[in-house]
């Protein structure tokens, strides 16, 4: 090294060159270099602060828009309907239960939109006993856990487990 001290990052600016001196000395060259570095760092810092401000403002605007456009769950536009019946595990209740679930999901399509939301909503109306045991098996089984994010697949599994195995015989009994 030439014995030149590097400037500190603090409030003191780098050394400046004397206006009467020439650029011939090494010390003056270092001085010009460090002044340019210092100025570049100041410009970068200002730009980063401006970018951070712009980003915060944009995010704030997005959050404001999202919160103002979310449907109110208690407002006059929220659909009101009777409480769903819990599914008790009986085969003759499969179709009416699924019809109620389908209607409720259609009415709440903005609030319950993801597959996982739909399956969780569905599980709220499974009565204690066999239906709840079946649900716990779905949650705990590595082979079936994917159904928690596949509402159509969950309903198919539900029908296979709880619905009348012989639909033809069921129709004849109703006649």
């Amino acid at each position: 090294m030439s014995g030149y001290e590097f400037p500190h990052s603090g409030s003191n600016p780098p050394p400046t060159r004397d206006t009467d001196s020439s650029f011939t000395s090494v010390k003056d060259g270092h001085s010009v270099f460090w002044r340019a570095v210092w100025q570049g760092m100041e410009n970068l810092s200002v730009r980063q602060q401006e970018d951070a401000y712009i980003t915060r403002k944009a995010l704030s605007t997005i959050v404001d828009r999202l919160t103002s456009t979310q449907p109110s769950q208690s407002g006059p536009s929220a659909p009101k309907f009777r409480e769903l019946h819990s599914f008790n595990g009986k085969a003759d209740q499969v179709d009416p239960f699924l019809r109620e679930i389908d209607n409720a999901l259609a009415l709440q399509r903005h609030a319950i939109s993801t597959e996982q939301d739909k399956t969780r909503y569905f599980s709220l109306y499974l009565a204690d006993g066999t239906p709840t045991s079946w649900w716990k098996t779905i949650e705990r089984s590595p082979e079936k856990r994917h159904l928690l994010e596949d509402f159509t697949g969950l309903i198919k599994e539900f029908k296979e487990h709880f619905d009348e195995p012989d639909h033809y015989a069921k129709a004849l009994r109703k006649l």
Side-chain angles (χ1 to χ4, degrees):
M1 285 264 173
S2 64
Y4 180 79
E5 279 190 36
F6 290 91
H8 305 282
S9 62
S11 61
N12 296 335
T16 59
R17 68 178 170 88
D18 185 19
T19 54
D20 295 334
S21 64
S22 69
F23 285 97
T24 57
S25 77
V26 173
K27 190 172 183 181
D28 284 344
H30 282 285
S31 178
V32 169
F33 171 77
W34 285 112
R35 175 176 243 183
V37 168
W38 185 266
Q39 186 64 42
M41 289 172 50
E42 284 179 345
N43 290 343
L44 178 63
S45 176
V46 168
R47 180 65 182 166
Q48 286 176 334
Q49 289 173 359
E50 289 172 352
D51 288 348
Y53 173 78
I54 291 168
T55 302
R56 279 193 305 273
K57 191 164 179 96
L59 288 174
S60 177
T61 302
I62 291 169
V63 168
D64 289 345
R65 285 183 185 168
L66 287 174
T67 56
S68 69
T69 59
Q70 288 180 343
S72 170
Q73 295 302 315
S74 61
S77 63
K80 303 220 187 293
F81 49 92
R82 66 178 172 79
E83 185 69 22
L84 299 181
H85 294 99
S86 292
F87 178 70
N88 59 13
K90 294 183 181 176
D92 65 337
Q93 293 301 308
V94 169
D95 289 334
F97 173 70
L98 290 177
R99 196 169 26 259
E100 282 188 24
I101 290 288
D102 187 49
N103 288 335
L105 290 173
L107 291 171
Q108 299 180 72
R109 66 188 164 275
H110 297 293
I112 304 172
S113 58
T114 68
E115 293 291 300
Q116 189 174 25
D117 290 345
K118 290 175 185 179
T119 59
R120 290 291 172 187
Y121 181 81
F122 172 86
S123 75
L124 294 174
Y125 296 98
L126 297 175
D128 289 340
T130 306
T132 303
S133 296
W134 172 81
W135 175 258
K136 288 179 182 175
T137 301
I138 298 291
E139 285 182 312
R140 293 178 183 154
S141 170
E143 297 85 29
K144 297 189 181 216
R145 192 173 298 135
H146 72 279
L147 294 172
L148 299 175
E149 296 184 21
D150 177 11
F151 185 69
T152 304
L154 182 77
I155 296 304
K156 182 178 179 219
E157 183 76 22
F158 175 81
K159 285 180 177 181
E160 288 174 5
H161 187 83
F162 289 104
D163 206 3
E164 189 95 27
D166 188 356
H167 289 285
Y168 182 73
K170 178 181 174 182
L172 285 177
R173 276 196 304 275
K174 284 187 176 183
L175 291 175

